[in-house]
């Protein structure tokens, strides 16, 4: 394993744990999903953070596959009344969306930091 892949792996783990992608110690979030202004340990400015709809998209994609697939299987096998579906899939939707949302957002922020992903910027003609 090279230093580069080791650094990426630790950034990924820090993101999944909701920690600063640079030092891995400071808190990344100030609340459930709101990024803190900066790392309280190393001072990394989190103003670069722009995960937009990425975390919600990946989580909805996963949750929709699991919940809709489970509902179809249960309906085909048992044909229960609708109130059983409401009782089963409401909590499963909450579980499969709220639990992974924060780690996925942390992961995308860590990957954005690692790959220095940002909007394109105009470069002056004098730049090398
Ligand atoms: Zn830090």
């Amino acid at each position: 394993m090279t230093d580069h892949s080791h650094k990426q792996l630790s950034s990924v783990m820090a993101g999944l744990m909701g920690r600063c992608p640079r030092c891995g110690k400071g808190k990344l979030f100030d609340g459930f999903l709101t990024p803190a202004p900066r790392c309280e340990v190393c001072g990394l400015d989190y103003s670069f953070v722009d995960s937009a709809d990425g975390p919600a998209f990946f989580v909805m994609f996963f949750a929709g596959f699991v919940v809709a697939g489970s509902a179809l299987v249960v309906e085909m096998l048992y044909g229960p009344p609708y109130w059983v579906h409401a009782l089963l899939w409401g909590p499963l939707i909450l579980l499969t969306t709220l639990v992974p949302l924060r780690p996925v957002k942390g992961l995308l922020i860590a990957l954005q930091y690692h790959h220095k992903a940002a909007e394109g910027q105009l470069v002056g003609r004098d730049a090398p």
Side-chain angles (χ1 to χ4, degrees):
M1 190 180 276
T2 65
D3 282 350
H4 183 71
S5 62
H6 175 72
K7 185 179 176 192
Q8 183 174 16
L9 185 64
S10 50
S11 289
V12 165
M13 285 308 296
L16 286 171
M17 303 291 290
R19 297 289 168 191
C20 168
R22 183 162 75 185
C23 70
K25 294 177 182 145
K27 286 192 292 186
L28 182 57
F29 295 107
D30 187 17
F32 183 57
L33 288 174
T34 308
R38 68 191 52 79
C39 175
E40 71 221 4
V41 175
C42 72
L44 175 64
D45 185 4
Y46 291 151
S47 62
F48 70 90
V49 168
D50 184 18
S51 58
D53 294 338
F57 170 77
F58 288 114
V59 167
M60 283 191 314
F61 190 77
F62 166 76
F65 183 77
V66 169
V67 175
S70 301
L72 278 174
V73 168
V74 167
E75 177 62 29
M76 297 293 277
L77 290 179
Y78 306 108
Y82 289 127
W83 66 265
V84 173
H85 283 292
L87 205 65
L88 287 174
W89 314 128
L92 187 62
I93 288 169
L94 291 177
L95 192 73
T96 55
T97 52
L98 294 180
V99 171
L101 195 52
R102 188 175 159 134
V104 169
K105 184 166 184 172
L107 172 65
L108 290 185
I109 290 170
L111 290 175
Q112 183 187 1
Y113 171 76
H114 181 80
H115 294 289
K116 300 175 178 64
E119 287 185 25
Q121 296 175 344
L122 293 176
V123 177
R125 293 175 187 225
D126 298 335

